[in-house]
PDB file of all heavy atoms in Angstrom:
ATOM      1  N   PHE A 221      11.258  15.399  20.294  1.00  0.00           N
ATOM      2  CA  PHE A 221      11.273  14.801  18.894  1.00  0.00           C
ATOM      3  C   PHE A 221      10.190  15.476  18.095  1.00  0.00           C
ATOM      4  O   PHE A 221      10.472  15.976  16.980  1.00  0.00           O
ATOM      5  CB  PHE A 221      10.976  13.261  19.072  1.00  0.00           C
ATOM      6  CG  PHE A 221      11.035  12.580  17.741  1.00  0.00           C
ATOM      7  CD1 PHE A 221      12.237  12.221  17.235  1.00  0.00           C
ATOM      8  CD2 PHE A 221       9.875  12.271  16.980  1.00  0.00           C
ATOM      9  CE1 PHE A 221      12.331  11.604  15.904  1.00  0.00           C
ATOM     10  CE2 PHE A 221       9.875  11.653  15.774  1.00  0.00           C
ATOM     11  CZ  PHE A 221      11.178  11.330  15.267  1.00  0.00           C
ATOM     12  N   PHE A 222       8.961  15.690  18.727  1.00  0.00           N
ATOM     13  CA  PHE A 222       7.855  16.279  17.926  1.00  0.00           C
ATOM     14  C   PHE A 222       8.139  17.787  17.725  1.00  0.00           C
ATOM     15  O   PHE A 222       7.756  18.299  16.654  1.00  0.00           O
ATOM     16  CB  PHE A 222       6.577  16.027  18.537  1.00  0.00           C
ATOM     17  CG  PHE A 222       6.045  14.604  18.099  1.00  0.00           C
ATOM     18  CD1 PHE A 222       6.244  13.521  18.991  1.00  0.00           C
ATOM     19  CD2 PHE A 222       5.337  14.457  16.874  1.00  0.00           C
ATOM     20  CE1 PHE A 222       5.763  12.268  18.513  1.00  0.00           C
ATOM     21  CE2 PHE A 222       4.975  13.185  16.552  1.00  0.00           C
ATOM     22  CZ  PHE A 222       5.063  12.099  17.329  1.00  0.00           C
ATOM     23  N   GLU A 223       8.846  18.381  18.720  1.00  0.00           N
ATOM     24  CA  GLU A 223       9.275  19.823  18.467  1.00  0.00           C
ATOM     25  C   GLU A 223      10.205  19.966  17.334  1.00  0.00           C
ATOM     26  O   GLU A 223      10.120  20.936  16.551  1.00  0.00           O
ATOM     27  CB  GLU A 223       9.843  20.343  19.710  1.00  0.00           C
ATOM     28  CG  GLU A 223       8.890  21.106  20.666  1.00  0.00           C
ATOM     29  CD  GLU A 223       9.583  21.545  22.015  1.00  0.00           C
ATOM     30  OE1 GLU A 223      10.731  21.963  21.921  1.00  0.00           O
ATOM     31  OE2 GLU A 223       8.985  21.288  23.074  1.00  0.00           O
ATOM     32  N   ALA A 224      11.172  19.047  17.249  1.00  0.00           N
ATOM     33  CA  ALA A 224      12.098  19.077  16.105  1.00  0.00           C
ATOM     34  C   ALA A 224      11.423  18.880  14.764  1.00  0.00           C
ATOM     35  O   ALA A 224      11.668  19.501  13.773  1.00  0.00           O
ATOM     36  CB  ALA A 224      13.150  18.008  16.301  1.00  0.00           C
ATOM     37  N   LEU A 225      10.329  18.019  14.804  1.00  0.00           N
ATOM     38  CA  LEU A 225       9.592  17.783  13.560  1.00  0.00           C
ATOM     39  C   LEU A 225       8.744  19.065  13.226  1.00  0.00           C
ATOM     40  O   LEU A 225       8.642  19.418  12.009  1.00  0.00           O
ATOM     41  CB  LEU A 225       8.576  16.566  13.676  1.00  0.00           C
ATOM     42  CG  LEU A 225       9.127  15.266  13.881  1.00  0.00           C
ATOM     43  CD1 LEU A 225       8.056  14.196  13.491  1.00  0.00           C
ATOM     44  CD2 LEU A 225      10.395  14.986  12.977  1.00  0.00           C
ATOM     45  N   SER A 226       8.288  19.755  14.234  1.00  0.00           N
ATOM     46  CA  SER A 226       7.488  21.053  14.009  1.00  0.00           C
ATOM     47  C   SER A 226       8.576  22.094  13.388  1.00  0.00           C
ATOM     48  O   SER A 226       8.140  22.768  12.480  1.00  0.00           O
ATOM     49  CB  SER A 226       6.944  21.584  15.221  1.00  0.00           C
ATOM     50  OG  SER A 226       6.093  20.676  15.768  1.00  0.00           O
ATOM     51  N   GLU A 227       9.723  22.109  13.981  1.00  0.00           N
ATOM     52  CA  GLU A 227      10.624  23.039  13.424  1.00  0.00           C
ATOM     53  C   GLU A 227      11.033  22.724  11.887  1.00  0.00           C
ATOM     54  O   GLU A 227      10.995  23.658  11.117  1.00  0.00           O
ATOM     55  CB  GLU A 227      11.998  22.949  14.323  1.00  0.00           C
ATOM     56  CG  GLU A 227      13.187  23.663  13.738  1.00  0.00           C
ATOM     57  CD  GLU A 227      13.110  25.123  13.614  1.00  0.00           C
ATOM     58  OE1 GLU A 227      12.282  25.723  14.437  1.00  0.00           O
ATOM     59  OE2 GLU A 227      13.696  25.640  12.715  1.00  0.00           O
ATOM     60  N   TYR A 228      11.045  21.464  11.694  1.00  0.00           N
ATOM     61  CA  TYR A 228      11.375  21.055  10.267  1.00  0.00           C
ATOM     62  C   TYR A 228      10.223  21.472   9.362  1.00  0.00           C
ATOM     63  O   TYR A 228      10.478  21.939   8.322  1.00  0.00           O
ATOM     64  CB  TYR A 228      11.468  19.497  10.268  1.00  0.00           C
ATOM     65  CG  TYR A 228      11.604  18.957   8.852  1.00  0.00           C
ATOM     66  CD1 TYR A 228      12.801  18.992   8.078  1.00  0.00           C
ATOM     67  CD2 TYR A 228      10.318  18.493   8.163  1.00  0.00           C
ATOM     68  CE1 TYR A 228      12.835  18.374   6.832  1.00  0.00           C
ATOM     69  CE2 TYR A 228      10.457  17.951   6.924  1.00  0.00           C
ATOM     70  CZ  TYR A 228      11.674  17.921   6.240  1.00  0.00           C
ATOM     71  OH  TYR A 228      11.768  17.455   4.969  1.00  0.00           O
ATOM     72  N   ALA A 229       9.017  21.369   9.882  1.00  0.00           N
ATOM     73  CA  ALA A 229       7.800  21.744   9.074  1.00  0.00           C
ATOM     74  C   ALA A 229       7.791  23.176   8.759  1.00  0.00           C
ATOM     75  O   ALA A 229       7.227  23.532   7.699  1.00  0.00           O
ATOM     76  CB  ALA A 229       6.509  21.281   9.787  1.00  0.00           C
ATOM     77  N   ARG A 230       8.454  23.947   9.610  1.00  0.00           N
ATOM     78  CA  ARG A 230       8.505  25.557   9.407  1.00  0.00           C
ATOM     79  C   ARG A 230       9.569  25.840   8.462  1.00  0.00           C
ATOM     80  O   ARG A 230       9.674  26.916   7.893  1.00  0.00           O
ATOM     81  CB  ARG A 230       8.673  26.223  10.664  1.00  0.00           C
ATOM     82  CG  ARG A 230       7.501  26.255  11.636  1.00  0.00           C
ATOM     83  CD  ARG A 230       7.654  27.186  12.767  1.00  0.00           C
ATOM     84  NE  ARG A 230       8.713  26.714  13.691  1.00  0.00           N
ATOM     85  CZ  ARG A 230       8.453  25.907  14.779  1.00  0.00           C
ATOM     86  NH1 ARG A 230       7.254  25.455  15.016  1.00  0.00           N
ATOM     87  NH2 ARG A 230       9.361  25.584  15.574  1.00  0.00           N
ATOM     88  N   ARG A 231      10.477  24.952   8.088  1.00  0.00           N
ATOM     89  CA  ARG A 231      11.578  25.272   7.194  1.00  0.00           C
ATOM     90  C   ARG A 231      11.153  25.349   5.870  1.00  0.00           C
ATOM     91  O   ARG A 231      10.343  24.637   5.418  1.00  0.00           O
ATOM     92  CB  ARG A 231      12.708  24.219   7.402  1.00  0.00           C
ATOM     93  CG  ARG A 231      13.364  24.048   8.764  1.00  0.00           C
ATOM     94  CD  ARG A 231      14.409  25.122   9.031  1.00  0.00           C
ATOM     95  NE  ARG A 231      14.937  25.074  10.400  1.00  0.00           N
ATOM     96  CZ  ARG A 231      15.958  24.352  10.761  1.00  0.00           C
ATOM     97  NH1 ARG A 231      16.624  23.619   9.948  1.00  0.00           N
ATOM     98  NH2 ARG A 231      16.288  24.392  12.059  1.00  0.00           N
TER      99      ARG A 231
END
Side-chain angles (χ1 to χ4, degrees):
F221 183 79
F222 279 95
E223 265 176 42
L225 294 197
S226 301
E227 169 63 27
Y228 172 83
R230 288 191 290 272
R231 300 276 175 94

